[in-house]
Each structure stands twice: as structure tokens, then as C-alpha cells.
Amino acid sequence: SFFVGVSALTESAIAFVAGLDWSPLAIMALILVLYLLLGSLMESFAVMVITVPIVTPLVTKLGYDVVWWGVIMLCVVETGLIHPPFGLNVFVLKSMLPKVPLWTIYKGVLPFVAADLVKLVLLVIFPAITMWLPSTMRCRGTMPAQSGHSPRHPMLLSQVTFAARRRSVFAWERSTASA
């Protein structure tokens, strides 16, 4: 994290992406493919520790919510762990079952990879699915708009998060009025 700050790698990445003149969804698709590749080559914790200081500011500059990005990042990295051809969990399973051919394990994992990819597409296209549970949690002591997690991208402004935010603001106003 110190190295990323000193090297200005985050600012360089943001400037590079801004120069691409792509839509935020296309840039997000590129990031997700990168995370799938990294997830199939490396352990998920290592991928997150290495890439979060660089990619998270980029995602927030695109207008996406940090909580939404955290859920999506975790899902895509975990999908990478079973994604052929280098999914690390596939090789763990092979070491546990040495008599089973690797091709049989890949065929067995393929439906799960397909289901995970469909899940990722749904979570990206319909962010209300991702944000529903966090939107039900109450903010105590601070105004929800001050938490820094308000989505600015119009795709993330769903009715579910809007209604939950309205309930949180109303509850915050009641708690401060009675105090």
C-alpha cells in the first residue's frame, strides 16, 4: 500500500482508463476478466491484497459503490479458483483424488463455473441484488450520506437502495430529534 502511494500507480491507472473513453460497464468487464485470470493463477487473499489499493480507487472513480465492488470482487476471485485451466481448487481436488483424471474433474467443475459466471452477470447488471442486504443495515450515529458509500453511478441507484436509504435517513432524523 505504501509502495502504491509513493509510485502513484493508482493515479496512473485512473488516467489511463480515463483516456480509453470506454463506458464504465466495459471497463468493469475488463477488470472482471482480469480478476478471473488472477483468481485462477493465485490464491484469493493474495489477489485482493495486491490489487485492492490499485483497483478500488479506479472503481470508485467510475462511480460504483465500494460495498458493491467488494462483493463483486470476492465473487469473481472465488470463481477464478475453480475456473479452468489453472483453477487452484481443481488441483487441490486432484491431489485428494489421484485416481480421477484431471479432465473428469474439469467436466465436473464446469457447471459450477457456468453458474458462477451467470451469477456475476446478474450481480453486475442488477446491483440491487448485491446491495439489498447492506441496505437493510442501519447506520447509527452518522448520517448515511456521510458514510461515503453512496453510489454515484445511475446504474447503482436502484429502488431497493433508495428505499432503504430513505428509511435510514428517517430513522436517523428520529434518533437525533429525540436526543
Side-chain angles (χ1 to χ4, degrees):
S1 183
F2 174 75
F3 173 73
V4 172
V6 170
S7 68
L9 185 60
T10 304
E11 290 82 11
S12 300
I14 291 171
F16 175 75
V17 169
L20 289 178
D21 197 32
W22 289 2
S23 72
L25 195 57
I27 295 170
M28 188 56 60
L30 181 68
I31 292 171
L32 292 179
V33 169
L34 175 72
Y35 268 93
L36 267 177
L37 293 174
L38 286 174
S40 68
L41 297 173
M42 298 171 60
E43 198 266 328
S44 60
F45 182 72
V47 170
M48 288 188 279
V49 167
I50 293 169
T51 61
V52 161
I54 301 165
V55 177
T56 301
L58 176 64
V59 170
T60 57
K61 287 286 186 185
L62 291 173
Y64 292 100
D65 188 60
V66 176
V67 175
W68 176 83
W69 170 241
V71 172
I72 296 296
M73 180 181 55
L74 183 65
C75 289
V76 75
V77 169
E78 293 298 323
T79 301
L81 286 174
I82 62 170
H83 190 273
F86 302 116
L88 293 179
N89 284 350
V90 173
F91 292 110
V92 170
L93 190 58
K94 173 64 179 161
S95 70
M96 293 174 60
L97 304 166
K99 294 182 180 177
V100 177
L102 190 59
W103 178 248
T104 304
I105 294 173
Y106 279 135
K107 286 192 300 190
V109 166
L110 200 58
F112 295 102
V113 172
D116 276 348
L117 292 176
V118 168
K119 174 187 70 177
L120 279 171
V121 167
L122 288 174
L123 291 177
V124 170
I125 292 175
F126 303 109
I129 298 170
T130 307
M131 296 301 293
W132 174 77
L133 185 60
S135 71
T136 61
M137 298 177 188
R138 302 214 186 263
C139 296
R140 295 201 172 118
T142 61
M143 180 74 175
Q146 296 172 349
S147 66
H149 295 294
S150 59
R152 294 177 299 276
H153 195 275
M155 192 168 100
L156 295 178
L157 292 175
S158 65
Q159 292 199 1
V160 174
T161 56
F162 178 74
R165 194 169 291 132
R166 190 175 58 212
R167 284 192 305 271
S168 295
V169 169
F170 182 69
W172 180 81
E173 289 172 347
R174 273 190 305 183
S175 69
T176 57
S178 64

